[in-house]
Amino acid sequence: MALSPNGVDQEPASKRLHSRMEASCLELALEGERLCKTGDFKGGTAFFEAAVQVGTEDLKTLSAIYSQLGNAYFYLKEYAKALEYHRHDLTLARTIGDRIGEGKASGNLGNTLKVLGRYDEAVVCCQRHLEISREQGDKVGEARALYNIGNVFHAKGKQQSWNCAQDPGDLPSDVRETLQKATEFYE
């Protein structure tokens, strides 16, 4: 803060407000993160939503808040809201050219779509996560993406098996093929 000799603040009010806004957004987001880490996802989402309302010009921070909101809503089983925020995160990551962030957002979308039984869309999102992780040399992201694709095929295969009457161990060929894909991605 720049003070004149008589102690008057010479920084423009807009600059002070912007600085305070950034601090408030970050402080709210950090509290939301802290609450989620303790398992209080409802409280965490309230702080993340407040951080979004306060706003920030730091798009990387906003992307992180969207991601955390999506994850918190996922744990609360509010999948429509989880999808909404993971889509916001994906759009923002693409806008700022954050390829790793784009991959993670794609993976988060895939996991949410899987829970909703939208397996084909989930595979597309998880495949995008895999492609970006490989492109970026992100081995941890690559492993997560492979595991998530395996999970999508596993869930799809289980659902397919519920829809047919069979003897234990005698699965229809489409179910066996889907479960075999899951095994390949897990391996």
Side-chain angles (χ1 to χ4, degrees), residues 104-116:
K104 288 178 181 177
S106 295
N108 287 334
L109 273 171
N111 286 333
T112 306
L113 290 164
K114 177 198 75 173
V115 168
L116 293 171

Side-chain angles (χ1 to χ4, degrees), residues 89-118:
D89 183 28
L90 178 60
T91 300
L92 199 50
R94 284 180 175 159
T95 300
I96 63 177
D98 178 5
R99 294 291 285 164
I100 297 286
E102 182 181 343
K104 288 178 181 177
S106 295
N108 287 334
L109 273 171
N111 286 333
T112 306
L113 290 164
K114 177 198 75 173
V115 168
L116 293 171
R118 294 164 58 181

Side-chain angles (χ1 to χ4, degrees), residues 28-47:
L28 289 165
L30 289 172
E31 180 61 13
E33 185 176 33
R34 187 191 70 73
L35 289 169
C36 286
K37 283 181 179 176
T38 66
D40 181 4
F41 297 106
K42 199 73 164 164
T45 59
F47 275 89

Side-chain angles (χ1 to χ4, degrees), residues 42 45 66 69-88 108-118:
K42 199 73 164 164
T45 59
Y66 285 155
L69 264 167
N71 290 335
Y73 280 123
F74 181 91
Y75 288 113
L76 290 170
K77 296 181 175 34
E78 293 184 39
Y79 301 119
K81 283 189 172 188
L83 278 178
E84 174 188 346
Y85 282 106
H86 287 315
R87 284 187 180 124
H88 287 326
N108 287 334
L109 273 171
N111 286 333
T112 306
L113 290 164
K114 177 198 75 173
V115 168
L116 293 171
R118 294 164 58 181

Side-chain angles (χ1 to χ4, degrees), residues 89-154:
D89 183 28
L90 178 60
T91 300
L92 199 50
R94 284 180 175 159
T95 300
I96 63 177
D98 178 5
R99 294 291 285 164
I100 297 286
E102 182 181 343
K104 288 178 181 177
S106 295
N108 287 334
L109 273 171
N111 286 333
T112 306
L113 290 164
K114 177 198 75 173
V115 168
L116 293 171
R118 294 164 58 181
Y119 302 116
D120 295 337
E121 293 172 83
V123 168
V124 169
C125 291
C126 292
Q127 285 280 7
R128 188 177 323 117
H129 183 199
L130 179 60
E131 290 164 13
I132 292 170
S133 295
R134 286 180 171 163
E135 163 199 303
Q136 298 295 309
D138 177 8
K139 293 293 190 186
V140 172
E142 182 178 350
R144 283 188 179 130
L146 289 165
Y147 179 77
N148 288 339
I149 296 169
N151 279 344
V152 172
F153 282 116
H154 188 198

